[in-house]
Amino acid sequence: MKAQEPSLIIRYNTSMDTKTEQNLAASMTADTTAIIPYLAYLLQDFWELGSSPDDMVELLADHVPAGERQRALDLGCGKGAVAIALAKRLAMRVKGIDAIPEFIGQARSAAIREGVSDRCSFEIGDITVRVLSETGYDCTVYGAVGPVLGEPEAMLAALRKTLRNGGHLLLDDAYANDGDTAAPYPTLDAWNSLFENAGFEIVACRPSTDSATDYDKEMGWIAQRVDELSSMHPEQADLFAHYLKAQRGEYDELLNDIVGATWLLRARSHR
């Protein structure tokens, strides 16, 4: 298949500071900000960027009455997969925010295509800034965004402030196996303590069911786009090869060392 012309090269928010750029790159499993302009091209085959819309919809539907899930905030919403699922399947009104304009453009188009543009709004923005002013939501989604909002303590504290008392947080992250002190993720017990200290109670936790077959398919998509970009931009071939290696490392880690999970947490009343 002929490589697509590089119309998906990102014109991302250049007002972001260096730390925010680094966090954005890290959230996409990259250790250099140089990859950011190419992320939309590399990930063009993905609709879901890390989080499962099915898991998030089902957790809310199973555990939260309809009257308590009206307004949602999706921070780092990517292409809008979760936000659109919440709007379409649970009739929620959802605001999605992401720093990558191409992702926001695709989210807006998808909302129109799925008939939920009246219930979804998507905005280009730096979530490290926007999290400080967005408040009063029934539900906040933070799906596979990684360290953008800081270490777990700071991240949970910031997300708690976006919710009304009794509101819910949908968090997609990962935990290390018990006793594995070398893994760059908290253990399940450590997460439980973090949630308690941040003012959340655990409603439900759903471990990922992704398989090696799923990961192999996704790695095939990324490898194809890396090959295409390397042909179009041979001077950046090492950058793309490094990104591919990092993605393989993340998938290997998820298969062997850590457990991906989606938590539904309830915000307790402020003491």
Side-chain angles (χ1 to χ4, degrees):
M1 182 174 68
K2 183 177 183 290
Q4 178 176 331
E5 290 303 311
S7 59
L8 291 175
I9 303 305
I10 292 174
R11 298 172 298 282
Y12 68 99
N13 181 359
T14 55
S15 67
M16 287 189 290
D17 61 27
T18 300
K19 182 62 175 177
T20 302
E21 288 181 340
Q22 290 170 345
N23 285 338
L24 174 60
S27 75
M28 297 293 183
T29 318
D31 56 12
T32 172
T33 59
I35 200 66
I36 292 176
Y38 304 99
L39 287 173
Y41 192 96
L42 288 162
L43 299 174
Q44 65 184 275
D45 303 291
F46 292 76
W47 167 233
E48 302 170 9
L49 294 177
S51 297
S52 166
D54 287 343
D55 284 350
M56 294 195 169
V57 166
E58 290 166 10
L59 282 168
L60 282 177
D62 290 347
H63 298 283
V64 182
E68 297 179 21
R69 44 177 164 86
Q70 302 296 312
R71 296 176 59 244
L73 173 68
D74 189 349
L75 292 168
C77 65
K79 301 178 184 182
V82 172
I84 289 170
L86 295 178
K88 187 171 184 177
R89 295 163 60 182
L90 299 180
M92 297 180 73
R93 303 187 70 86
V94 190
K95 178 188 288 187
I97 302 171
D98 201 281
I100 297 180
E102 281 71 9
F103 288 174
I104 292 297
Q106 291 174 61
R108 289 170 177 164
S109 296
I112 294 171
R113 185 171 63 249
E114 295 298 324
V116 294
S117 58
D118 60 329
R119 295 196 294 275
C120 289
S121 64
F122 293 103
E123 301 175 5
I124 301 166
D126 180 350
I127 67 171
T128 66
V129 174
R130 297 294 297 276
V131 74
L132 302 176
S133 59
E134 299 287 345
T135 60
Y137 287 90
D138 298 307
C139 177
T140 294
V141 176
Y142 193 69
V145 184
V148 174
L149 295 182
E151 294 301 314
E153 295 89 342
M155 175 263 290
L156 290 169
L159 294 172
R160 173 63 185 85
K161 293 176 182 177
T162 67
L163 294 165
R164 61 169 178 79
N165 289 338
H168 290 82
L169 171 63
L170 282 165
L171 173 67
D172 182 320
D173 213 292
Y175 59 87
N177 296 318
D178 288 342
D180 186 355
T181 57
Y185 290 86
T187 63
L188 192 55
D189 285 345
W191 271 119
N192 292 343
S193 295
L194 288 164
F195 297 149
E196 172 71 21
N197 292 338
F200 290 101
E201 60 185 55
I202 301 169
V203 177
C205 177
R206 181 173 291 196
S208 171
T209 57
D210 288 344
S211 67
T213 300
D214 297 323
Y215 293 149
D216 287 345
K217 178 178 69 174
E218 293 174 2
M219 281 306 308
W221 294 342
I222 296 172
Q224 176 185 336
R225 300 309 178 184
V226 162
D227 286 345
E228 292 169 0
L229 280 174
S230 296
S231 295
M232 290 186 282
H233 301 281
E235 75 284 359
Q236 297 280 28
D238 287 346
L239 173 68
F240 305 138
H242 186 74
Y243 176 79
L244 182 63
K245 181 179 179 181
Q247 292 295 313
R248 286 200 174 108
E250 181 186 39
Y251 284 135
D252 287 345
E253 189 176 48
L254 282 165
L255 283 171
N256 301 304
D257 301 324
I258 61 176
V259 180
T262 302
W263 284 271
L264 177 64
L265 307 172
R266 183 177 184 277
R268 298 194 306 267
S269 298
H270 291 291
R271 295 189 179 95

